[in-house]
Each structure stands twice: as structure tokens, then as C-alpha cells.
Amino acid sequence: MYQIEQCVAGVYPDTPWDEPYQNRINRLIEAKKLGQKTVAFLYPEFDSSTFRYRGYNIAETLTYSFYWCGACFQYADREKLIKGLQWIDILVVIRCPWDEQSDTFFEKVRSCQIRLCYDVDDLIYSPRYMPEVIKALGLKENVETNFWFGLTYRNEKIASLCDAFITTNDYLAAYIKEDFDKPCYTLPNYLNGYQERISEAYFQKKMLLEPQNPFVIGYFSGSPTHLKDLMTIMPEIEEFLNRHAEAVLRIVGYMQLPPQYDRLVSEGRIEYLPFQTFIGLQYEQAKVDINVVPLVNNVFSNCKSELKYFESAIVGTITCATPSYTYAKAIKDKENGYLCNVGEWLDTFERIYQKGQDKKMQNQIRRIALKEYSGRCQVRRVETLLNNILDR
């Protein structure tokens, strides 16, 4: 692992999207006065996961645009937002489910001739796919399955109102186009400025250091529903830990392994760290030797974004991932990461461990990730996408 000093947290805010409603609507009002076109992003409640990628990051990208301006809103803003609809050209609703206020709000949006677009980054926009999702996530309890069936039905109710769709990759877009017979545009998840700046600081520090023991395999889970994914490679991780006394598996986020791994936990060979802010996550990813992204390779996981690759890449941490649709496109095996099927992970760990960290490869993966996933590099793509939606 790398003994990197953590940057002062106050310099990099954990929730930069937290600002008064009036500041956000004023941004659109001033843009319209300047002759710009405007897009509002609506999400149920601001968070650092889906909303950050599909709302905040895109609105931030548009600060570099001469033609478009974006601002973000949440369900709690709807009553006030109804009074400001005249300042909006496109409303992008991000994984928004129906609720008791939805009918009134969206009827008003329609009456103002605003283009309505649904953004979804996962296969959860319709209950018809829930059997696949339940199987992928390993859901068993009735409470969980009832929740997901209800949520996807409510998502579909709002999605069906929209003129167009935005999603993260062509694999998922094909399903959406078939199901709704409406235009669907792809815009990958990517980085925001705070991520890029703090990652630059950690990367520069990292390049001045040599890794020390323990040798840390990092698994960064945003949700306990990924347990089934991690379990696909746990036998190979356990074998690697048994071979190398100085190796550790570090699990960051909401995850708890089955009791069969309690011994390794008690011995300090498996470590748990709590869920991190998106700023803190870059620090934890910078410290580990390997980032692993195992997936049960099915329809559900092939719809997933490659964000776990590029967020580690910008701090110079090498990713080993299952070759799902997006990861196979993002990673060229042995060039900017490693692609591993079940049975190949152990040999890959050994190769990296025996070879030692490759600074040339670390520089390369960071350079490629910034070229493909930097927010400032997405301006033209976002402008074109929004122009296409508006023109239709």
C-alpha cells in the first residue's frame, strides 16, 4: 500500500451541490437573459451516487459551455420550480419514481412545452426486468423484492411520459429503445472537477513513493447488493491471502462477508472501512495496490457503468475487472488494467505482486482515464446531446 498523507478535507467539499434553491434557479434565469439554452436536472434527493454522475457532473460541465447552462433540483424543490418553468428548455428527470405530486408537476411541465427526458443508468426502469435484477443481486426477502418491484413500476410510470432518454452505454440503450420506441442518447459517467483536482494531488504524492507492506487488494462497494459479485472471486482472493502473509483484502463501503471469512477478519487479513464521501473515496483508492471489480456477468451487470475503473485510474491504481460490456470497452488487458474471468484472478494478482508496481503503467492509466472521462472533455458531447433533444 501507499502511505499517502490525506489532503485537508475542507479544501474539497463533500457535497458541493448543496446550495440554496434561489442560487440554482438564478443560474438559469441569468443564462436565458444572455441568450443561452437551459437544462434542469431533477432527482428525488441529492446524493453522491447516481445524482452526482447524472446531474451535478453534467451541470458542472456546462459551466464551460457558451451555449448551454444547467442547474440541479430535487423533489423538495418542485413547488417552487413550477413558478420557474419558463426559464427551462429541457427537464432531465434522473431515475425519478412517481409519487403523489408527480401528476400535477409533470402536467405543468408539459403545458410549458418543455422537452422532457428520462435519465437512467441501470436496468431498473421497468418491473419486467425485476426477475433478472433479483437474481443478479441475490435478493430473497419479500420486503426487498416488493420494494424493488414497486420502485421500478413507479420509475416506468414517469419514464413513459418522457420524449427521450439518456443512459450510460449502448448496451442499456438498446433495451430502452426497444421498450419505449423513443430516442435514447448515451452519455457515459465521468469525473467532476473536485475529483480531478484531489486525485491529481494524490497521484503526484503517490509517484514519489514506493509501496510498502501490506499489499492491499481494494474492493470499493457502494452497496451491500454487490456481495454476490465479490463472492465470485473470494476463493481466489483467499488463496492469495494464504500464499502471502503480507497481503490484505480491504473492503470499503456497505459490505459484510459470510461467517466463513470471520477468521481472516479476526486475523486482520480482511479489513472493513465505512462508506466514504466521493472525496474520501479517492484517498482510499489511491492507497491500495489493486482495485478489483468482480461482476456476475449477466444482463444486469452489462448495463453497469465503468466508473469503478476510471475513478481508480486517475489516482494511478490498477484495476482488475470482469470483462462485462463496459469494462471490456474501457480496459485493454495488460495495457491500462486487467480483465479477468473466474479462475484468472489469482494468476493476475500474482503477476502484479511479483512484478511490483509499474509507474509507467500507472501514468498511462491515469492519462487515458483523464482523456476519456474528464468533465471538461465532455462539453461538445453534452451540447450535441442537448441540441438533439431540443431539436426533436
Side-chain angles (χ1 to χ4, degrees):
M1 69 171 291
Y2 289 86
Q3 298 287 353
I4 301 173
E5 181 182 353
Q6 190 166 16
C7 294
V8 179
V11 178
Y12 304 96
D14 295 332
T15 56
W17 42 82
D18 284 339
E19 57 178 331
Y21 168 83
Q22 200 58 49
N23 290 8
R24 291 176 273 135
I25 195 66
N26 282 348
R27 196 170 299 133
L28 302 186
I29 294 172
E30 293 304 314
K32 292 297 286 185
K33 290 178 179 178
L34 293 172
Q36 291 183 311
K37 292 170 281 189
T38 60
V39 54
F41 299 92
L42 180 67
Y43 189 69
E45 185 175 3
F46 294 165
D47 61 29
S48 64
S49 54
T50 297
F51 163 71
R52 171 164 55 95
Y53 297 107
R54 309 309 297 171
Y56 174 79
N57 287 6
I58 303 173
E60 183 192 72
T61 292
L62 292 176
T63 62
Y64 298 100
S65 173
F66 294 109
Y67 311 105
W68 281 90
C69 177
C72 299
F73 304 92
Q74 51 191 340
Y75 268 18
D77 297 320
R78 284 178 294 181
E79 187 174 340
K80 289 180 285 189
L81 191 57
I82 281 180
K83 301 174 184 178
L85 292 177
Q86 69 268 32
W87 307 110
I88 300 171
D89 292 309
I90 297 175
L91 177 64
V92 176
V93 291
I94 307 165
R95 282 174 63 157
C96 284
W98 179 92
D99 69 1
E100 64 277 5
Q101 295 182 42
S102 294
D103 292 339
T104 300
F105 177 75
F106 286 110
E107 283 176 11
K108 186 64 176 177
V109 171
R110 281 292 194 193
S111 71
C112 293
Q113 304 298 310
I114 296 169
R115 284 282 190 267
L116 195 54
C117 186
Y118 201 83
D119 186 300
V120 62
D121 60 350
D122 214 336
L123 198 67
I124 60 160
Y125 61 81
S126 171
R128 73 174 61 87
Y129 298 115
M130 278 313 300
E132 186 71 35
V133 173
I134 289 169
K135 181 179 177 182
L137 299 182
L139 302 178
K140 295 179 181 179
E141 298 180 12
N142 287 335
V143 173
E144 287 183 313
T145 56
N146 288 343
F147 168 80
W148 283 102
F149 266 105
L151 179 64
T152 53
Y153 173 78
R154 291 162 61 210
N155 286 347
E156 185 178 53
K157 192 172 178 64
I158 299 301
S160 64
L161 300 175
C162 295
D163 306 299
F165 291 80
I166 306 173
T167 193
T168 53
N169 62 72
D170 291 337
Y171 188 95
L172 181 53
Y175 279 85
I176 294 171
K177 289 175 182 177
E178 182 176 350
D179 291 332
F180 292 96
D181 193 26
K182 292 179 182 179
C184 183
Y185 305 93
T186 58
L187 181 68
N189 285 334
Y190 56 81
L191 303 158
N192 64 55
Y194 287 112
Q195 276 183 303
E196 292 181 39
R197 289 192 288 276
I198 198 167
S199 297
E200 167 73 17
Y202 288 139
F203 180 76
Q204 295 302 331
K205 292 180 179 183
K206 186 171 184 173
M207 290 300 97
L208 298 175
L209 300 172
E210 292 298 327
Q212 303 175 7
N213 286 333
F215 181 89
V216 180
I217 297 172
Y219 180 71
F220 300 90
S221 171
S223 164
T225 57
H226 292 293
L227 177 60
K228 196 171 181 181
D229 291 324
L230 180 57
M231 290 302 295
T232 62
I233 67 167
M234 277 307 299
E236 293 175 83
I237 290 179
E238 184 175 14
E239 175 60 26
F240 183 77
L241 297 181
N242 289 334
R243 290 184 187 182
H244 305 284
E246 66 281 6
V248 167
L249 170 65
R250 181 173 296 163
I251 299 173
V252 181
Y254 303 113
M255 180 70 68
Q256 191 73 34
L257 291 172
Q260 68 201 67
Y261 295 103
D262 286 351
R263 176 186 62 84
L264 290 171
V265 174
S266 65
E267 292 174 355
R269 309 300 307 286
I270 296 177
E271 303 173 348
Y272 292 105
L273 290 182
F275 183 81
Q276 303 291 307
T277 66
F278 81 96
I279 293 296
L281 184 63
Q282 296 308 115
Y283 174 62
E284 296 300 335
Q285 291 182 125
K287 293 192 296 181
V288 304
D289 296 277
I290 305 174
N291 168 48
V292 294
V293 189
L295 294 166
V296 177
N297 205 344
N298 54 23
V299 170
F300 180 71
S301 62
N302 276 288
C303 292
K304 289 286 189 179
S305 161
E306 67 275 33
L307 63 91
K308 289 185 178 182
Y309 151 70
F310 63 75
E311 290 186 337
S312 286
I314 60 169
V315 290
T317 298
I318 294 171
T319 292
C320 303
T322 299
S324 65
Y325 178 83
T326 50
Y327 283 96
K329 287 177 68 91
I331 297 174
K332 293 184 179 180
D333 191 38
K334 302 179 182 64
E335 291 186 25
N336 63 328
Y338 295 89
L339 297 173
C340 307
N341 290 299
V342 172
E344 299 173 344
W345 294 82
L346 179 58
D347 287 345
T348 302
F349 296 156
E350 288 288 355
R351 183 182 301 114
I352 297 171
Y353 176 80
Q354 299 298 337
K355 183 179 180 181
Q357 292 294 343
D358 184 339
K359 291 193 183 297
K360 181 179 178 181
M361 187 176 192
Q362 289 172 311
N363 275 282
Q364 178 167 298
I365 62 174
R366 174 177 161 79
R367 178 182 56 78
I368 292 173
L370 286 174
K371 180 180 178 181
E372 298 293 330
Y373 301 101
S374 172
R376 286 168 293 181
C377 296
Q378 310 296 328
V379 178
R380 184 63 61 83
R381 182 170 186 169
V382 174
E383 288 175 339
T384 300
L385 182 153
L386 294 174
N387 285 334
N388 286 337
I389 292 171
L390 192 61
D391 290 345
R392 295 186 68 91

